[in-house]
């Protein structure tokens, strides 16, 4: 997959100053960024997160999901370690796009869960493609990750193109009455490792 590096700049945030690297996905025209801190190309495992864009959670403070909470927690963890990388991937709504995500939310308002809503709209439960990360990781010189995720698909995808997952670190933040069903569905139908929720669904 052709994903080309464009440019880098400094990005001061409330957690510290990151370096922001811009990448362009040729086929779709989507623009992805990676925020790094410290030396990530020294061969040692890098604290990292693959974070798919969620406008509603990341920017509009939605309580329907845990995305915004996870984004902030990941940036705080990287800053606390002084070294790491956050991949911000333009794959809104697990790959269905913002307008279809709103349509899916409408179906969820009527009682569907997040997987059922996507499927009623003719989409897969999760259409994200993590292969776009491979050229970004190569450009940054990252070969091993301590991955902040609850999603086993991310671990499998990264290992599939030769990235060592030295450690999987859970990222459980933002559970509230508005997203309890959503999180239970992620654990039960998508296999996300969400502590007691995942265990309850597995039993």
């Amino acid at each position: 997959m052709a994903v080309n590096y464009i440019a880098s700049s400094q990005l001061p945030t409330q957690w510290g100053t990151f370096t922001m690297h811009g990448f362009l996905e040729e086929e779709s025209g989507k623009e992805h960024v990676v925020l790094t801190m410290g030396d990530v190309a020294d061969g040692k495992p890098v604290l990292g997160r693959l974070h798919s864009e969620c406008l509603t959670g990341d920017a509009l403070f939605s309580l329907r999901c845990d995305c915004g909470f996870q984004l902030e927690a990941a940036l705080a963890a990287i800053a606390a370690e002084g070294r790491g990388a956050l991949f911000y991937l333009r794959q809104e709504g697990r790959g269905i796009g913002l307008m279809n995500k709103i349509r899916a939310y409408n179906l969820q308002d009527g009682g569907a869960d997040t997987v059922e809503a996507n499927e009623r709209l003719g989409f897969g439960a999760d259409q994200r493609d993590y292969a776009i990360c491979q050229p970004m990781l190569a450009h940054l010189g990252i070969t091993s990750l301590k991955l902040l995720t609850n999603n086993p698909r991310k671990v499998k995808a990264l290992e599939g193109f030769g990235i060592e997952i030295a450690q999987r670190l859970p990222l459980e933040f933002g559970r509230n009455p508005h997203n309890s069903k959503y999180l239970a569905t992620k654990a039960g139908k998508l296999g996300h490792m969400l502590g007691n929720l995942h265990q309850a669904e597995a039993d």
Side-chain angles (χ1 to χ4, degrees):
M1 182 175 291
V3 179
N4 299 320
Y5 168 72
I6 303 301
S8 299
S9 68
Q10 296 299 291
L11 184 72
T13 74
Q14 67 189 75
W15 300 281
T17 299
F18 293 83
T19 301
M20 179 168 61
H21 311 270
F23 295 86
L24 178 64
E25 188 180 337
E26 277 190 5
E27 184 176 344
S28 67
K30 290 181 179 178
E31 299 163 328
H32 309 283
V33 298
V34 184
L35 303 184
T36 64
M37 184 177 284
D39 182 3
V40 297
D42 60 5
K44 299 176 183 177
V46 174
L47 182 63
R49 171 158 177 79
L50 311 184
H51 188 91
S52 296
E53 177 182 34
C54 176
L55 179 73
T56 49
D58 298 342
L60 300 178
F61 316 108
S62 171
L63 297 177
R64 296 185 71 135
C65 63
D66 54 348
C67 304
F69 299 100
Q70 290 183 318
L71 176 61
E72 292 195 15
L75 291 171
I78 290 168
E81 184 146 317
R83 179 174 173 273
L86 183 134
F87 292 73
Y88 196 85
L89 310 173
R90 308 299 294 278
Q91 301 193 110
E92 179 75 53
R94 293 201 300 276
I96 68 174
L98 182 58
M99 295 300 105
N100 284 319
K101 179 180 179 178
I102 296 172
R103 292 187 178 101
Y105 275 175
N106 176 260
L107 293 173
Q108 290 173 45
D109 290 342
D113 67 36
T114 181
V115 170
E116 291 166 347
N118 277 26
E119 290 175 344
R120 286 185 197 175
L121 292 172
F123 299 107
D126 189 342
Q127 301 203 156
R128 291 174 291 183
D129 182 359
Y130 298 110
I132 58 176
C133 297
Q134 189 171 9
M136 294 186 254
L137 287 157
H139 176 83
L140 295 167
I142 297 173
T143 57
S144 178
L145 286 169
K146 295 183 293 181
L147 192 63
L148 290 158
T149 188
N150 306 319
N151 186 352
R153 287 189 66 244
K154 292 181 181 179
V155 175
K156 184 177 180 180
L158 288 166
E159 288 178 337
F161 47 79
I163 299 298
E164 177 195 21
I165 304 301
Q167 190 177 4
R168 183 196 72 85
L169 300 169
L171 196 63
E172 296 185 44
F173 292 89
R175 187 177 297 178
N176 68 79
H178 299 283
N179 67 20
S180 57
K181 180 180 178 181
Y182 165 82
L183 293 175
T185 301
K186 287 210 298 185
K189 291 189 175 182
L190 298 175
H192 287 218
M193 295 173 278
L194 291 169
N196 293 334
L197 265 181
H198 177 74
Q199 188 59 47
E201 293 288 347
D203 289 344

